[in-house]
Short mmCIF file of all heavy atoms in Angstrom, two decimals:
data_model
loop_
_atom_site.label_atom_id
_atom_site.label_comp_id
_atom_site.label_asym_id
_atom_site.label_seq_id
_atom_site.Cartn_x
_atom_site.Cartn_y
_atom_site.Cartn_z
N LEU Y 1507 7.38 -0.15 -0.34
CA LEU Y 1507 7.27 0.81 0.79
C LEU Y 1507 8.53 1.65 0.87
O LEU Y 1507 9.65 1.13 0.85
CB LEU Y 1507 7.04 0.11 2.14
CG LEU Y 1507 6.92 0.98 3.41
CD1 LEU Y 1507 5.95 0.37 4.42
CD2 LEU Y 1507 8.28 1.19 4.09
N HIS Y 1512 3.37 3.84 -0.06
CA HIS Y 1512 3.19 2.38 0.03
C HIS Y 1512 2.11 1.94 -0.97
O HIS Y 1512 1.02 1.51 -0.59
CB HIS Y 1512 2.78 2.02 1.47
CG HIS Y 1512 2.98 0.58 1.83
ND1 HIS Y 1512 3.48 -0.36 0.96
CD2 HIS Y 1512 2.71 -0.09 2.99
CE1 HIS Y 1512 3.53 -1.53 1.56
NE2 HIS Y 1512 3.07 -1.41 2.78
N ASN Y 1542 1.48 9.65 7.07
CA ASN Y 1542 2.69 8.90 6.66
C ASN Y 1542 2.57 8.29 5.26
O ASN Y 1542 1.70 8.67 4.47
CB ASN Y 1542 2.98 7.81 7.72
CG ASN Y 1542 1.84 6.79 7.81
OD1 ASN Y 1542 0.96 6.74 6.96
ND2 ASN Y 1542 1.86 5.98 8.87
N ASN Y 1543 3.43 7.32 4.98
CA ASN Y 1543 3.46 6.64 3.68
C ASN Y 1543 2.10 6.03 3.29
O ASN Y 1543 1.65 6.20 2.14
CB ASN Y 1543 4.56 5.57 3.65
CG ASN Y 1543 4.65 4.73 4.93
OD1 ASN Y 1543 3.76 4.74 5.78
ND2 ASN Y 1543 5.76 4.00 5.07
N VAL Y 1544 1.45 5.38 4.24
CA VAL Y 1544 0.15 4.76 3.95
C VAL Y 1544 -0.88 5.85 3.67
O VAL Y 1544 -1.66 5.76 2.70
CB VAL Y 1544 -0.28 3.86 5.15
CG1 VAL Y 1544 -1.73 3.44 5.04
CG2 VAL Y 1544 0.64 2.64 5.23
N ASP Y 1607 -3.11 3.64 11.03
CA ASP Y 1607 -1.81 2.97 10.89
C ASP Y 1607 -1.01 3.30 12.15
O ASP Y 1607 -1.41 4.16 12.95
CB ASP Y 1607 -1.10 3.49 9.62
CG ASP Y 1607 0.19 2.74 9.31
OD1 ASP Y 1607 0.39 1.61 9.84
OD2 ASP Y 1607 1.02 3.27 8.55
N VAL Y 1608 0.12 2.64 12.30
CA VAL Y 1608 0.96 2.87 13.48
C VAL Y 1608 1.29 4.35 13.64
O VAL Y 1608 1.37 5.08 12.65
CB VAL Y 1608 2.28 2.06 13.39
CG1 VAL Y 1608 2.00 0.58 13.57
CG2 VAL Y 1608 3.02 2.33 12.10
N SER Y 1611 6.34 4.94 12.51
CA SER Y 1611 6.68 4.01 11.43
C SER Y 1611 8.10 3.48 11.58
O SER Y 1611 8.86 3.97 12.43
CB SER Y 1611 6.55 4.74 10.09
OG SER Y 1611 5.20 4.90 9.75
N MET Y 1612 8.45 2.52 10.73
CA MET Y 1612 9.81 1.97 10.75
C MET Y 1612 10.81 3.10 10.55
O MET Y 1612 10.67 3.90 9.62
CB MET Y 1612 9.96 0.91 9.66
CG MET Y 1612 9.16 -0.35 9.95
SD MET Y 1612 9.33 -1.59 8.68
CE MET Y 1612 8.05 -1.10 7.52
N CYS Y 1647 -3.23 -1.62 7.75
CA CYS Y 1647 -2.32 -2.40 6.89
C CYS Y 1647 -1.55 -3.45 7.69
O CYS Y 1647 -1.02 -4.40 7.10
CB CYS Y 1647 -1.36 -1.46 6.16
SG CYS Y 1647 -0.18 -0.64 7.25
N LEU Y 1648 -1.48 -3.28 9.02
CA LEU Y 1648 -0.73 -4.16 9.91
C LEU Y 1648 0.78 -4.03 9.63
O LEU Y 1648 1.14 -3.79 8.49
CB LEU Y 1648 -1.18 -5.63 9.78
CG LEU Y 1648 -2.68 -5.89 9.95
CD1 LEU Y 1648 -2.96 -7.39 9.74
CD2 LEU Y 1648 -3.19 -5.45 11.31
N PRO Y 1649 1.65 -4.16 10.61
CA PRO Y 1649 1.38 -4.57 11.99
C PRO Y 1649 0.68 -3.49 12.80
O PRO Y 1649 0.90 -2.30 12.55
CB PRO Y 1649 2.78 -4.84 12.54
CG PRO Y 1649 3.69 -3.97 11.74
CD PRO Y 1649 3.09 -3.91 10.37
N1 NVA K 2260 3.66 3.23 8.19
C1 NVA K 2260 4.18 1.93 8.48
C2 NVA K 2260 3.63 0.90 7.54
C3 NVA K 2260 4.12 -0.49 7.82
C4 NVA K 2260 3.61 -1.48 6.81
C5 NVA K 2260 5.71 1.96 8.41
O1 NVA K 2260 6.25 2.58 7.49
O2 NVA K 2260 6.34 1.38 9.29
#
Side-chain angles (χ1 to χ4, degrees):
L1507 180 147
H1512 198 0
N1542 62 13
N1543 43 13
V1544 167
D1607 186 18
V1608 289
S1611 285
M1612 290 180 274
C1647 68
L1648 307 178

